[in-house]
Amino acid sequence: MGNREDLLAGARKVIMERGVAKATARDIAAAAGVSLAAIGYHFGSKDRLVTEALSEALGDALGDGMRELIEEGAGGTPLAGLAHLWNGMPAVFADNNEAMLASLENIVRIVRSEDARAQLGDQLDEAYRDLAADLRAAHPDLGEAEAEAIGRLYFVLAQGLGVLWLLKPGETILDGDRLSTAVRALAGR
């Protein structure tokens, strides 16, 4: 690995051990085995490093979990795929509890920083595109606009349900079957 990758790994390690607020640039550099100046060189600031490290770690973990569940729902209707996805999300949340807590802690910092919001905005567009591509692969009859809209809905639901899951770990706030019932009712069926 290079210094950049070492810093990302070091940041994830320190953040998972101490939380975002207690993770110092010095601690991250030490965990990465690089100089403190490497943070500025590769990321511009500790905050940008933290946002990227958490976005990568949690985005990959949740994204991979969602992708697997979407793939498992292939062959059925998109609505049945929605139910399957949301019935499987509590396990994905449980597998990523610490990263989700750190990400939630980081969101407050992001909201207060114009630079961090811009950085995250770029990553959100990529997440939407990835989910849309997964949906089109699982449900080839979906049009591009439909897949993008559903991908955005999935992302928003994952964020909201993830936060609620953190508040009441292990409790299913809204399972896939009730969510499908709600969507059918909204569609007038």
Side-chain angles (χ1 to χ4, degrees):
M1 282 197 298
N3 283 356
R4 187 174 201 291
E5 293 79 18
D6 291 339
L7 282 165
L8 288 166
R12 285 189 294 270
K13 179 181 184 301
V14 171
I15 291 164
M16 294 307 145
E17 290 173 356
R18 300 181 189 159
V20 173
K22 293 183 182 176
T24 67
R26 197 171 305 287
D27 293 336
I28 292 170
V34 301
S35 72
L36 192 57
I39 293 173
Y41 177 77
H42 290 286
F43 295 95
S45 71
K46 179 196 104 176
D47 288 345
R48 285 188 70 83
L49 166 59
V50 166
T51 298
E52 189 164 334
L54 284 172
S55 295
E56 277 187 20
L58 191 57
D60 289 349
L62 290 181
D64 290 348
M66 290 178 79
R67 181 177 303 108
E68 288 173 23
L69 291 166
I70 290 169
E71 289 171 357
E72 290 171 9
T77 66
L79 190 57
L82 171 73
H84 179 75
L85 175 72
W86 294 114
N87 285 331
M89 285 308 292
V92 175
F93 295 149
D95 289 344
N96 296 285
N97 185 60
E98 289 303 315
M100 288 175 55
L101 283 171
S103 181
L104 188 57
E105 185 180 354
N106 193 42
I107 285 172
V108 173
R109 185 193 57 76
I110 289 171
V111 169
R112 292 184 174 154
S113 164
E114 190 67 37
D115 180 53
R117 277 198 312 262
Q119 178 187 4
L120 190 61
D122 295 340
Q123 293 167 345
L124 289 176
D125 290 339
E126 184 178 335
Y128 302 148
R129 282 191 301 272
D130 289 348
L131 282 168
D134 295 340
L135 283 158
R136 293 224 36 207
H139 306 285
D141 292 343
L142 287 176
E144 194 171 317
E146 293 169 318
E148 182 186 340
I150 294 169
R152 285 176 180 257
L153 174 67
Y154 280 11
F155 187 87
V156 168
L157 289 172
Q159 297 303 307
L161 290 175
V163 169
L164 293 173
W165 188 90
L166 285 170
L167 291 170
K168 292 188 166 204
E171 185 175 314
T172 301
I173 306 299
L174 178 64
D175 66 24
D177 301 319
R178 285 189 285 174
L179 180 58
S180 293
T181 298
V183 169
R184 273 194 301 276
L186 288 169
R189 297 183 190 159

